[in-house]
Amino acid sequence: MATETSGAGPADAGDSGALAGLRSRFEGPNTVGNSRGFWVGFLVAVLALAAYPFVVGSYQASRFSLFLVYAFLGLSLSVVWGYAGVLSFGQVVFFGVAGYTFGVVSVNFATPAGITGAFLVGVFGGALMAFVLGYFMIYGGVRNVYVTIITLVSTLVLHTFMAQTAGDEWTIGEAALGGFNGMPTIPNLAFGVGGASITFSSMTFYYLVLGLLVATYLGLRALVNSDYGRVMVAVREDEDRTRMFGYDVERVKLAVFTLGGALAGLSGVLYAAWGNYMSPGVFELTFASLPVIWVSVGGRKTLLGAVTATVGIEFLRNSLGGELAFVIVGVLLLVFILGLPGGIVPWVHRTYVEMRSDGATPEPPEASAEVSD
Amino acid sequence: MVNGLNLLFQFLDSFAFIVLAAAGLAIIFGIMGVINLAHGEFIMVGAYATTLANIRAGLPLPAAMLVGVLVTAGFGLVVERVVISGTVPNALSQRFLGRKVIEPLYDRLADSMVATWGLSLIMVQGVRITLGNSLDQIGTPLGNIAYSGFSYSTYRVMLAAVALGVLALTYYVFTRTEYGMRARATIQDEDTARALGVDTERTYMTTFAIGSGLAGLTGALYAPTITMVPGLGSSFLVEAFVAVVVGGPSVVLGTTLAGGLLGAINATVSNVLGTFFGRIALLVTAIVMIRFLPDGITGFVETLRERRQEGA
Amino acid sequence: MLELDGVTAAYDSTPILRDVDLSVEEGEIVGVMGKNGVGKTTLMKTIIGLLEPSSGTIRYAGADVTDAPADERARAGMGYIPQGRDVFPKLTVEQNVRMGETVNADSEQTLYDQIYDYFPVLAERADQQAGTLSGGQQQMLAIARALVSNPDLLLLDEPSEGIQPSIVDQISRDMQAINDDLGTTILFVEQNLGVIREMADRCYAMERGEIVDEVGPTTLADEDAIAEYLAV
């Protein structure tokens, strides 16, 4: 597998041994940005995001934190589609299930300890749902294309189901599922027990999400650049060949799919805590397609692309508002999947690298054909 | 006895709905290997065109329906040239940039889903912006069948007969016309068809136009019975989609069998537990069918037949 | 009638044909011989247009067809018979033959009578699904299909592959007859010694994507000389 020589030239040899060793865990051919310049830029970006609330005030920061929450959902699809080759229209299923689970548990146990538990149960619920659905499909030998279809249909099943939970009989403990009206009064996120606890709202919530996002991003970077990450990519590129080398392809796909479910679940729990509200709208096709749009535009095979496109597009959508926003998003999607199916971030990266090394860089061949069954 | 009659009507209604929703999509999927997630919006175009022709332009309903079909077929032609095959953008880019920029979407199932999804967003919002959140309603013709306390719309039951007619017409076109033979040859072996002089590009264009026209027909037929809102396509899309996948590669037989199976399940469960659960039952059945018969019903039958031939 | 000049063709980035020059005059039967893997099928696909050459030119009937798509070349008069026959399995025998009508679009003439003369078994099984025919029958069908519009040039890709020897003989003789009766030019690729000697007026030898030799009728009569090019 070719290694990108992406501007990591002699200038970087100046890094001390420990730093370089640490960096090497997060760098590799499977992510964009493998130079000192990149990490400096990354640090700047994180600091800028940290300073953001002080610039725009807590209300705007709170609105922005929603986009950061969505970034986890984008990452979940990037991991599953971009790195393991499985296009899932159903990440919102795990998002929604986790959100509702968090809602039900936290409404019933509204203490900090209870809410902490709700958080864990919610994320676990998302992962479990992904495991079950994934097992059903992957170990049933369903080809990737039909996995896509099944995930799409699952989203609709959940939408239809949750939509008819309006009646009083659909109450778990204190929490009414509420049908189309949704489940209100979900408490804010809190960690800890009794007195030794923090409740997150507005600013503190913003920093929590930002911190979690950075940690998750770095964690995923380390994962996809590790040996396991290379197996994931091998599965994406050619399942049969990978199987012939002795790898348990089904196990890899299921593990990745479950991880995707956990990430989507994390996003869902944070979403429920952010808005203090869950509704069946999260299972609608329009929302289910958003992760696909974010990741297609940003570049599904890069984590950075997933995060930046999610935040960028959602910010755009929010600023434009209304129907025009969806038209523009639709146009974006169309233009990108037809003209630049790899997404923005890889393209920017390629152009940047070409400019820096005067076009002499050998590029790893882009797998131009879609992953077919 | 009365409930049985009601169940029968629900079945016919459901069968017609599924078959008419799926027909255009099945043809495009079967011949071009493209999944058109904007299919629901094509139906919407047909419905809107019919309504506008009938209410604003005063055409009688059958003529208005014809307008709906033609408008949608024409629109489908444009979509095929610009989005699906990319011919128009490529021709432009060839002139100005010296190279092609777009790969056709044929046989690219996941990419075609994503691209047509983008198209569907544009269409729904575009219509909402230009024509508002709802449109005037054509009244449902033919009244109701009434029997001891129950009643059912005659029109919707009659659509079952129309659905069968559409299936028969599709069968005829694909087995008895030159176009149909060329299209089937192209599905079976595109390279060889091309090497024998078949203009496969034109075949795809025609096929997409026919599939779009059928979607337009569905929209036209259902325009008098459904609420005219920009998002009306979504209630057709899912049923169409799962019917195509469950039906399998044989366009006519697959759609018929899928319509029968899913329609029966939908009708039965709806009768007992209400329409929400009827829909859920339909969707869950689809999931189970896809999992166990990933090539659809007709694909499974094909495999059985091939295996029996080999064993013989 | 057909002229290839410096044609190079590749799959993805692996070159298969390297700088191929060959020509076929009207009325000839020309062969291209070579072992497995030298690029014979690639050559045929490039001539009919299923594969685009990365460099070089192809001229047919006086016109440059290098950029023309396959269906255009077929309509201009090239009849293509793929390796493995590639009949349309779910169409009937009769429908398969009818599919050949788009070949040689300028000519209104169809040769149904002659075809069923050459291959009476096709008339017998007209309504049978093509996928159920035997290998030899499928080969006859593929030939009939390419021939029905009286093309000027027939392109045959390994006509003997996968077919029992007695039928192979018959097919060789039929091709000769077609060339005699209809004046159809024939270009074929083969690795079967007998077929080459039986059918070809002259023959090119191919090795690793290049034309390495051209062999005339006298040398063709010498078994040992040809066997060299076909040795495994």
Side-chain angles (χ1 to χ4, degrees), chain A residues 235-253:
Chain A
V235 167
R236 174 189 83 203
E237 294 296 320
D238 193 330
E239 276 187 36
D240 290 325
R241 201 193 316 159
T242 313
R243 203 175 281 125
M244 284 197 280
F245 275 109
Y247 290 102
D248 190 339
V249 166
E250 276 73 36
R251 181 124 62 105
V252 171
K253 277 166 67 168

Side-chain angles (χ1 to χ4, degrees), chain A:
Chain A
M1 291 183 50
T3 327
E4 285 179 358
T5 53
S6 48
D12 290 22
D15 270 359
S16 70
L19 201 58
L22 185 65
R23 261 182 55 194
S24 68
R25 295 197 82 220
F26 296 104
E27 292 177 356
N30 293 330
T31 47
V32 157
N34 293 308
S35 66
R36 186 141 60 119
F38 169 77
W39 289 109
V40 169
F42 179 74
L43 197 58
V44 168
V46 173
L47 289 173
L49 284 172
Y52 184 72
F54 295 108
V55 175
V56 296
S58 69
Y59 176 69
Q60 288 288 33
S62 184
R63 293 210 66 74
F64 194 81
S65 53
L66 175 63
F67 313 145
L68 295 177
V69 167
Y70 283 146
F72 290 95
L73 186 57
L75 278 173
S76 86
L77 183 61
S78 169
V79 163
V80 167
W81 187 20
Y83 287 94
V86 180
L87 170 56
S88 161
F89 260 103
Q91 294 310 96
V92 292
V93 167
F94 318 126
F95 175 93
V97 164
Y100 268 101
T101 309
F102 174 77
V104 166
V105 175
S106 64
V107 163
N108 280 303
F109 301 103
T111 63
I115 296 177
T116 312
F119 176 84
L120 294 169
V121 174
V123 176
F124 180 73
L128 182 65
M129 182 100 205
F131 181 81
V132 170
L133 188 61
Y135 183 81
F136 174 72
M137 295 189 298
I138 295 167
Y139 277 89
V142 176
R143 292 192 294 269
N144 282 346
V145 146
Y146 293 107
V147 168
T148 307
I149 294 178
I150 291 184
T151 52
L152 184 63
V153 178
S154 306
T155 311
L156 295 158
V157 171
L158 261 123
H159 183 247
T160 316
F161 180 75
M162 291 310 286
Q164 54 83 46
T165 55
D168 288 327
E169 66 271 23
W170 292 102
T171 306
I172 305 179
E174 307 266 313
L177 292 178
F180 271 121
N181 299 321
M183 185 192 301
T185 70
I186 299 180
N188 282 332
L189 189 59
F191 288 145
V193 184
S197 67
I198 339 173
T199 304
F200 298 96
S201 64
S202 265
M203 298 275 277
T204 46
F205 185 77
Y206 179 91
Y207 285 111
L208 172 70
V209 175
L210 181 62
L212 279 176
L213 185 59
V214 172
T216 308
Y217 174 73
L218 291 174
L220 287 175
R221 262 192 88 112
L223 175 68
V224 301
N225 282 318
S226 70
D227 285 337
Y228 195 75
R230 284 198 274 145
V231 179
M232 280 165 63
V233 173
V235 167
R236 174 189 83 203
E237 294 296 320
D238 193 330
E239 276 187 36
D240 290 325
R241 201 193 316 159
T242 313
R243 203 175 281 125
M244 284 197 280
F245 275 109
Y247 290 102
D248 190 339
V249 166
E250 276 73 36
R251 181 124 62 105
V252 171
K253 277 166 67 168
L254 181 59
V256 174
F257 198 72
T258 309
L259 173 63
L263 287 167
L266 175 59
S267 189
V269 169
L270 291 172
Y271 173 82
W274 174 85
N276 310 112
Y277 176 69
M278 277 303 285
S279 87
V282 302
F283 298 117
E284 263 170 33
L285 277 189
T286 37
F287 188 69
S289 62
L290 280 178
V292 179
I293 296 175
W294 301 328
V295 156
S296 294
V297 171
R300 67 179 186 252
K301 294 184 186 170
T302 70
L303 300 170
L304 189 66
V307 173
T308 49
T310 306
V311 175
I313 293 180
E314 285 309 292
F315 187 78
L316 187 71
R317 227 165 45 89
N318 213 271
S319 315
L320 288 176
E323 295 127 17
L324 192 63
F326 259 110
V327 175
I328 298 205
V329 164
V331 172
L332 260 181
L333 183 61
L334 205 56
V335 166
F336 271 91
I337 201 77
L338 291 178
L340 201 63
I344 281 192
V345 168
W347 180 78
V348 166
H349 181 244
R350 265 203 307 276
T351 323
Y352 174 73
V353 164
E354 268 169 27
M355 281 186 343
R356 276 200 70 182
S357 42
D358 300 316
T361 317
E363 277 302 323
E366 182 78 53
S368 53
E370 176 196 323
V371 178
S372 60
D373 38 312

Side-chain angles (χ1 to χ4, degrees), chain C residues 6-229:
Chain C
V7 169
T8 307
Y11 279 118
D12 296 330
S13 43
T14 326
I16 311 276
L17 299 179
R18 301 161 206 267
D19 205 31
V20 167
D21 295 328
L22 70 77
S23 66
V24 182
E25 302 297 324
E26 212 179 313
E28 286 193 288
I29 305 184
V30 178
V32 178
M33 62 178 161
K35 309 185 283 231
N36 265 328
V38 302
K40 303 194 294 294
T41 299
T42 311
L43 178 65
M44 281 305 180
K45 284 201 172 158
T46 310
I47 297 178
I48 188 62
L50 289 175
L51 204 58
E52 223 181 288
S54 38
S55 62
T57 50
I58 304 176
R59 298 189 67 84
Y60 171 70
D64 187 341
V65 296
T66 323
D67 292 324
D71 50 296
E72 250 182 63
R73 298 189 208 186
R75 290 198 294 274
M78 290 194 198
Y80 177 59
I81 301 160
Q83 183 183 33
R85 274 71 62 194
D86 286 351
V87 297
F88 298 111
K90 300 214 198 92
L91 297 184
T92 64
V93 166
E94 188 255 340
Q95 285 171 333
N96 263 275
V97 178
R98 258 198 300 149
M99 280 303 295
E101 284 185 17
T102 33
V103 174
N104 204 17
D106 289 331
S107 149
E108 287 293 322
Q109 174 196 29
T110 55
L111 302 176
Y112 280 100
D113 293 328
Q114 280 103 316
I115 288 177
Y116 290 127
D117 265 343
Y118 288 125
F119 310 119
V121 67
L122 295 182
E124 289 162 29
R125 295 171 187 257
D127 289 322
Q128 200 175 322
Q129 275 208 352
T132 59
L133 294 178
S134 72
Q137 292 166 339
Q138 286 189 0
Q139 184 64 291
M140 295 187 226
L141 177 57
I143 296 173
R145 180 179 66 182
L147 200 55
V148 71
S149 277
N150 197 10
D152 304 311
L153 173 66
L154 271 185
L155 300 169
L156 274 156
D157 191 349
E158 286 204 54
S160 73
E161 185 255 346
I163 303 188
Q164 64 189 85
S166 56
I167 313 265
V168 170
D169 277 342
Q170 191 184 329
I171 289 178
S172 306
R173 277 179 267 126
D174 287 331
M175 300 310 293
Q176 292 264 10
I178 289 168
N179 175 259
D180 281 335
D181 301 337
L182 303 170
T184 319
T185 316
I186 301 180
L187 173 67
F188 69 99
V189 296
E190 251 302 347
Q191 53 178 322
N192 179 307
L193 193 57
V195 173
I196 295 170
R197 294 179 64 209
E198 172 102 27
M199 276 176 62
D201 295 335
R202 61 183 170 90
C203 194
Y204 290 97
M206 220 174 142
E207 227 169 83
R208 259 177 307 217
E210 296 176 301
I211 303 283
V212 294
D213 205 356
E214 191 183 326
V215 172
T218 33
T219 326
L220 272 178
D222 182 353
E223 249 189 76
D224 297 318
I226 316 179
E228 233 186 89
Y229 291 115

